[in-house]
Amino acid sequence: TQLLEQSPQFLSIQEGENLTVYCNSSSVFSSLQWYRQEPGEGPVLLVTVVTGGEVKKLKRLTFQFGDARKDSSLHITAAQPGDTGLYLCAGDPRRGNEKLTFGTGTRLTIIP
Amino acid sequence: DTEVTQTPKHLVMGMTNKKSLKCEQHMGHRAMYWYKQKAKKPPELMFVYSYEKLSINESVPSRFSPECPNSSLLNLHLHALQPEDSALYLCASSPSPGTGGFYGYTFGSGTRLTVV
């Protein structure tokens, strides 16, 4: 079973600060995704990374896929209260696999 | 239409009741999923339907019975549930089987189920 460990598990910071969330595994993934889930809602896809070393930006969010495709990071610049939520990474162990492996989750709270 | 719609949003049921959860999408997606999510935990896969056929059952107890009547609709029939089955039940879809890792999943808002 391929596991995705996220760190930190919980993070509470002031508005305007920067933060990084990590998603690590000992296994290689063909692609990796990040989702954000708000209370009472389903997860919403933020980004998919497929190439080792790939960096993608979504406004104040920067996503990176590790060179060996075993890990990923999410960096948020100048965090805002609207960034609050549960952040989930999810990996596809091999192309064409029918199910994703979800990470353990990072619960982020941005304090106004 | 880029949504997955789940009904009801909330459900309270007794341990002897029979109820059903409904999931609908009109994006032409041919892979659909049921997930269970406990508080402060990541979603756990229950079932995968590929082209309306059950392709993965993650050893889910028989008190949960999935059904895919057509390519747009997915049901989860519930019978004789236990209080520990209380959770958020999420439906998701992806364009076709095996493409979730590239295109991502579109999730519904979930059904908050409480078993009393």
Side-chain angles (χ1 to χ4, degrees), chain A residues 13-90:
Chain A
I13 64 170
Q14 294 288 136
E15 180 177 359
E17 294 184 354
N18 302 332
L19 66 108
T20 302
V21 176
Y22 299 93
C23 173
N24 294 302
S25 176
S26 57
S27 304
V28 175
F29 288 88
S30 67
S31 66
L32 205 139
Q33 300 172 336
W34 285 92
Y35 292 81
R36 178 171 65 216
Q37 183 177 20
E38 299 184 17
E41 298 293 328
V44 175
L45 179 67
L46 297 175
V47 76
T48 299
V49 285
V50 296
T51 305
E54 183 176 5
V55 176
K56 282 192 174 179
K57 294 196 174 191
L58 184 66
K59 297 183 181 178
R60 295 175 294 99
L61 279 60
T62 301
F63 305 86
Q64 184 162 9
F65 202 10
D67 291 341
R69 292 186 286 126
K70 293 182 178 181
D71 55 82
S72 179
S73 64
L74 158 60
H75 182 78
I76 300 179
T77 304
Q80 298 178 0
D83 296 326
T84 293
L86 176 67
Y87 286 80
L88 294 160
C89 63

Side-chain angles (χ1 to χ4, degrees), chain B residues 39-54:
Chain B
K40 300 180 182 179
K41 296 291 186 183
E44 299 173 24
L45 182 66
M46 299 175 72
F47 302 104
V48 179
Y49 270 84
S50 301
Y51 297 105
E52 297 89 68
K53 293 195 186 309
L54 182 66

Side-chain angles (χ1 to χ4, degrees), chain B residues 48-102:
Chain B
V48 179
Y49 270 84
S50 301
Y51 297 105
E52 297 89 68
K53 293 195 186 309
L54 182 66
S55 59
I56 295 177
N57 176 342
E58 293 286 276
S59 302
V60 178
S62 60
R63 57 185 184 270
F64 296 91
S65 176
E67 178 197 21
C68 189
N70 59 59
S71 60
S72 300
L73 193 56
L74 189 65
N75 298 319
L76 186 62
H77 303 296
L78 314 172
H79 174 56
L81 295 193
Q82 303 296 310
E84 58 265 29
D85 296 321
S86 299
L88 181 68
Y89 287 84
L90 293 162
C91 175
S93 69
S94 63
S96 60
T99 64
F102 187 80

